[in-house]
Amino acid sequence: MSRTRGAVVGIWLTLIVAMGLHIIALPQALVPFRPDWIALAAAYWSMALPRRFGPGSAWIFGLLLDVLSGTLLGQHAMALAVLSYLSIRVHQRVRVYPLWQQAISVGFMLAVYRLLILWVYGITGHAPGTWAYWFPLGTDILIWPAVYLLLRGFRRRLNFGS
């Protein structure tokens, strides 16, 4: 398998695993804190391999996420495409930051992602009524270092390149 083909298969595999994590049942007390696994993976791949994973790929996975979660078609697609675009725009700066600063930077990008989804919820009349909508953002920031290290190790083990 060529290096490029292996990278594409590896990216798809990690995003399919992220979709699996998205639909796993959690105890009711933890549901408001569920991380945005797909957004985290999309942000990582957009920063790590910007030539192989970009807004178009993020759009496709966003559509799959919309179908998987039964939301308005295109809602997550638009938000993930914007997240991917932002990640690519700042990837050269963010990649050299220490992990805690990366987590904060990724947190800002994920806040834009969540704002776009909230905007669509508001337009369709399904806006959440509590601050609990923002709890996953804190979880995402806290687990970013683990996600980064896990996906970086996976990418290096399979020698995807850059």
Side-chain angles (χ1 to χ4, degrees):
M1 185 180 315
S2 73
R3 199 174 193 187
T4 302
R5 183 187 230 169
V8 170
V9 169
I11 291 168
W12 277 76
L13 179 66
T14 57
L15 284 161
I16 289 170
V17 168
M19 285 189 184
L21 290 171
H22 177 77
I23 61 171
I24 280 182
L26 289 177
Q28 193 61 34
L30 296 178
V31 169
F33 300 99
R34 178 189 303 272
D36 290 318
W37 294 109
I38 298 167
L40 287 167
Y44 174 80
W45 289 118
S46 294
M47 285 191 288
L49 300 173
R51 290 189 177 107
R52 295 196 181 124
F53 187 87
S57 303
W59 180 271
I60 291 168
F61 278 99
L63 286 176
L64 291 173
L65 179 58
D66 289 330
V67 170
L68 183 68
S69 47
T71 57
L72 183 65
L73 195 61
Q75 171 181 343
H76 287 97
M78 173 199 56
L80 280 176
V82 170
L83 172 69
S84 177
Y85 173 77
L86 291 173
S87 299
I88 290 170
R89 292 289 296 169
V90 300
H91 83 279
Q92 290 181 335
R93 280 176 265 160
V94 173
R95 282 172 40 170
V96 298
Y97 291 166
L99 279 178
W100 68 272
Q101 286 180 334
Q102 276 187 23
I104 293 168
S105 298
V106 169
F108 281 120
M109 290 183 272
L110 290 171
V112 171
Y113 167 79
R114 292 197 68 78
L115 273 170
L116 288 170
I117 292 174
L118 183 64
W119 176 60
V120 174
Y121 281 152
I123 289 172
T124 59
H126 297 95
T130 67
W131 285 95
Y133 175 78
W134 296 102
F135 290 169
L137 185 59
T139 308
D140 293 339
I141 291 169
L142 290 175
I143 67 167
W144 171 255
V147 169
Y148 173 83
L149 293 172
L150 181 71
L151 291 177
R152 184 184 68 174
F154 178 71
R155 180 174 58 96
R156 286 182 175 175
R157 184 168 295 122
L158 295 180
N159 195 18
F160 290 173
S162 56

